[in-house]
Amino acid sequence: MKDLTKRQQEILTFIEHYEWRNGYWPSIREIQEKFNFKSTNAVMGHLRALEKKAAIERIPGQARTFRIHRPDTPERNELPENATEVVDIPVLGDIAAGYPDRVEPAGEIGRLQVDIASAGFSNRRRSFALQVRGDSMVDAEIYEGDMVVVEPRDPRDGDIVAALIDGETTLKRYIKKGNEPPYLKAENKFYPELYPINELTVQGVAKAVVRSL
Amino acid sequence: MKDLTKRQQEILTFIEHYEWRNGYWPSIREIQEKFNFKSTNAVMGHLRALEKKAAIERIPGQARTFRIHRPDTPERNELPENATEVVDIPVLGDIAAGYPDRVEPAGEIGRLQVDIASAGFSNRRRSFALQVRGDSMVDAEIYEGDMVVVEPRDPRDGDIVAALIDGETTLKRYIKKGNEPPYLKAENKFYPELYPINELTVQGVAKAVVRSL
DNA sequence: TGTTTATGTGAACAAGCGTCCATTGTCAAG
DNA sequence: CTTGACAATGGACGCTTGTTCACATAAACA
């Protein structure tokens, strides 16, 4: 993430602070009021900048839908002075297809420690890890035996996702252009590129790869 | 909270689940789609019911602004089988007036264990406790020496709030009718009722009172 | 000196979205 | 049989909100 200007940092802090207090995100006009801008476009400019610098993410056209790209605001009360920047997450060898998109913790087969900074994922959400079987993603440099850290959330175009196909969870790239239906794509030139999807169940988005050497 | 019907529970679960995955709340039409309703009003009915049963709270007219009334969804991975329903919160004797609405953890003077169930507050937000000085709230049955559990969030009409007046944090009832400016009210008939507010700084909303016997 | 970057103003548009009214049907309680 | 809670359809209204175009200013830069 590039460095933010002072003003951009102020905006970002306000957005985080607002969510922390209210449980939902501010609207653009609420940000405008807070900073006494006379135009909403002042906010738009800063948001565009924050987005370009990968500090935030937004869903175009939808109200109050921010995502902050950064480990979550640390818990404000019990701040361990030198907190270990490591998250302990379960390794699920198998993902049941119960409630759509819901991961069943039953299948835990181990635990994995991941450095927060290296995997840019939000520690507030519940992440899990999957061990890669097969070679469908070798062109994305993900190999058999690697551990993929998956964060449950809706995918966006270009994300590598853990998805349920024929009762099995596989790793694929998620492609969605405009209003066309999404499809999945294996990153291996020897595999068919397109996986048309009747009913797509995405378990989550891959945020990091951990390879034991 | 009254019992929810099966359908209401489904809606509630979806809303929580959606927020958990996306970081923001669903719109009414997104809920509609999920359940294949042919009308948004089906959702409205359920939301009204959930609100009447105090399961959720909403800001009228504002998009994607839910609040779930219940201890947060338990962390899905490390679920202790018999988790203690107790939250450990700091006791702040003094609240500095640095960043507006931000509590400085520096002034911690102790810790307090509170039963989650008895205090209906969300454990995800950062709560703190204040020891009551003075008798301005005796008519609300809050007495000197009591511990008040405060949750940082924006107040609504009728809430008892910890507010900053003349550099001191006091406990008052927050009154806001329609578009009129808000004011604070002491719950002691020997005190002046109205506290007009030039610049109001509310530290948070009181969610529980703990009295050591 | 011209150009980019950061920061704003001002006004307007259109889609997203919450809300409301009128109606229908089911089912259990009184 | 009637009443009321529950569940849902269908259509419409209007505020909320994200977005965009045109334009202005100061600082940094080459």
Side-chain angles (χ1 to χ4, degrees):
Chain A
M1 190 197 305
K2 286 187 202 171
D3 279 356
L4 304 180
T5 69
K6 188 183 170 194
R7 202 57 159 159
Q8 287 162 8
Q9 185 59 60
E10 282 175 23
I11 305 272
L12 182 60
T13 301
F14 170 71
I15 293 173
E16 290 179 287
H17 190 61
Y18 183 104
E19 197 277 342
W20 182 66
R21 282 178 59 80
N22 296 291
Y24 47 79
W25 303 101
S27 71
I28 287 183
R29 278 171 182 78
E30 284 172 339
I31 303 174
Q32 176 195 355
E33 268 185 51
K34 172 71 181 188
F35 289 91
N36 292 317
F37 292 143
K38 305 265 175 71
S39 165
T40 56
N41 202 28
V43 180
M44 286 296 287
H46 287 122
L47 293 186
R48 266 190 286 266
L50 285 170
E51 225 169 350
K52 201 189 312 187
K53 293 182 180 176
I56 65 172
E57 194 180 343
R58 302 168 62 214
I59 315 295
Q62 313 240 41
R64 302 171 186 271
T65 56
F66 284 95
R67 264 176 200 159
I68 303 290
H69 278 178
R70 228 186 9 77
D72 274 7
T73 311
E75 302 295 277
R76 278 186 178 67
N77 288 331
E78 54 259 315
L79 290 169
E81 265 310 324
N82 34 11
T84 332
E85 290 287 38
V86 164
V87 176
D88 182 50
I89 56 183
V91 179
L92 305 177
D94 169 62
I95 302 183
Y99 191 93
D101 312 333
R102 174 163 267 162
V103 174
E104 304 293 338
E108 176 173 334
I109 61 171
R111 297 220 142 237
L112 179 68
Q113 273 80 34
V114 182
D115 187 341
I116 282 186
S118 68
F121 65 93
S122 152
N123 59 8
R124 203 183 75 200
R125 320 230 157 271
R126 307 315 303 161
S127 300
F128 58 92
L130 290 174
Q131 191 156 35
V132 176
R133 291 193 323 270
D135 54 359
S136 67
M137 296 300 283
V138 293
D139 291 345
E141 289 166 318
I142 301 177
Y143 304 100
E144 175 137 23
D146 288 356
M147 302 294 266
V148 178
V149 178
V150 177
E151 185 173 302
R153 63 161 46 176
D154 288 340
R156 310 190 67 180
D157 179 56
D159 284 344
I160 292 181
V161 300
L164 200 63
I165 302 180
D166 304 331
E168 201 183 44
T169 298
T170 61
L171 211 57
K172 297 280 181 296
R173 193 175 295 276
Y174 178 87
I175 311 287
K176 177 162 179 57
K177 300 293 186 192
N179 283 325
E180 300 168 34
Y183 62 92
L184 299 181
K185 180 183 168 222
E187 294 276 350
N188 182 332
K189 54 178 172 292
F190 299 113
Y191 278 46
E193 261 215 335
L194 306 186
Y195 284 75
I197 306 161
N198 12 17
E199 184 139 6
L200 177 57
T201 305
V202 172
Q203 310 276 2
V205 176
K207 303 295 279 187
V209 179
V210 178
R211 187 171 306 139
S212 301
L213 297 176
Chain B
M1 190 196 306
K2 286 187 199 169
D3 280 355
L4 304 180
T5 68
K6 189 184 169 194
R7 203 56 161 158
Q8 287 161 8
Q9 185 59 59
E10 282 175 21
I11 306 270
L12 182 59
T13 300
F14 169 72
I15 294 174
E16 290 180 289
H17 191 62
Y18 183 104
E19 196 276 342
W20 183 67
R21 282 178 59 79
N22 296 290
Y24 47 79
W25 302 100
S27 71
I28 287 185
R29 278 170 182 79
E30 283 171 341
I31 303 174
Q32 175 194 356
E33 269 186 52
K34 172 73 182 187
F35 289 91
N36 292 318
F37 292 143
K38 306 267 173 66
S39 165
T40 56
N41 203 27
V43 180
M44 285 296 287
H46 287 121
L47 293 186
R48 266 190 286 266
L50 286 170
E51 225 171 347
K52 201 188 315 188
K53 293 182 181 177
I56 63 172
E57 193 180 342
R58 301 168 61 216
I59 314 295
Q62 314 239 43
R64 300 170 187 272
T65 56
F66 285 95
R67 264 177 201 158
I68 303 290
H69 278 178
R70 229 181 11 71
D72 274 7
T73 313
E75 304 293 278
R76 276 187 180 67
N77 289 331
E78 53 261 313
L79 289 169
E81 263 312 323
N82 34 11
T84 331
E85 292 285 40
V86 164
V87 175
D88 183 50
I89 55 183
V91 178
L92 305 176
D94 171 61
I95 301 182
Y99 192 95
D101 313 334
R102 175 163 265 162
V103 175
E104 304 293 337
E108 177 173 335
I109 62 170
R111 298 220 142 238
L112 179 69
Q113 274 79 36
V114 182
D115 186 343
I116 282 186
S118 68
F121 65 92
S122 152
N123 59 9
R124 203 183 75 200
R125 318 230 156 272
R126 307 315 304 161
S127 300
F128 57 93
L130 290 174
Q131 190 155 36
V132 176
R133 290 194 324 270
D135 55 358
S136 67
M137 297 300 282
V138 293
D139 292 344
E141 287 165 323
I142 301 177
Y143 303 100
E144 176 137 21
D146 288 356
M147 303 293 267
V148 179
V149 178
V150 178
E151 185 173 302
R153 63 161 45 177
D154 287 340
R156 311 191 66 179
D157 179 56
D159 284 344
I160 292 181
V161 300
L164 200 63
I165 301 181
D166 303 333
E168 200 183 43
T169 299
T170 61
L171 211 59
K172 296 281 181 295
R173 192 175 295 278
Y174 178 88
I175 311 288
K176 176 163 180 61
K177 301 293 186 192
N179 282 326
E180 301 168 33
Y183 61 91
L184 299 180
K185 180 185 169 221
E187 294 276 349
N188 183 329
K189 52 180 173 293
F190 299 113
Y191 278 46
E193 262 216 333
L194 307 184
Y195 285 73
I197 305 161
N198 14 16
E199 184 140 7
L200 177 58
T201 305
V202 173
Q203 311 277 0
V205 176
K207 304 294 280 187
V209 179
V210 179
R211 185 172 307 139
S212 302
L213 298 174

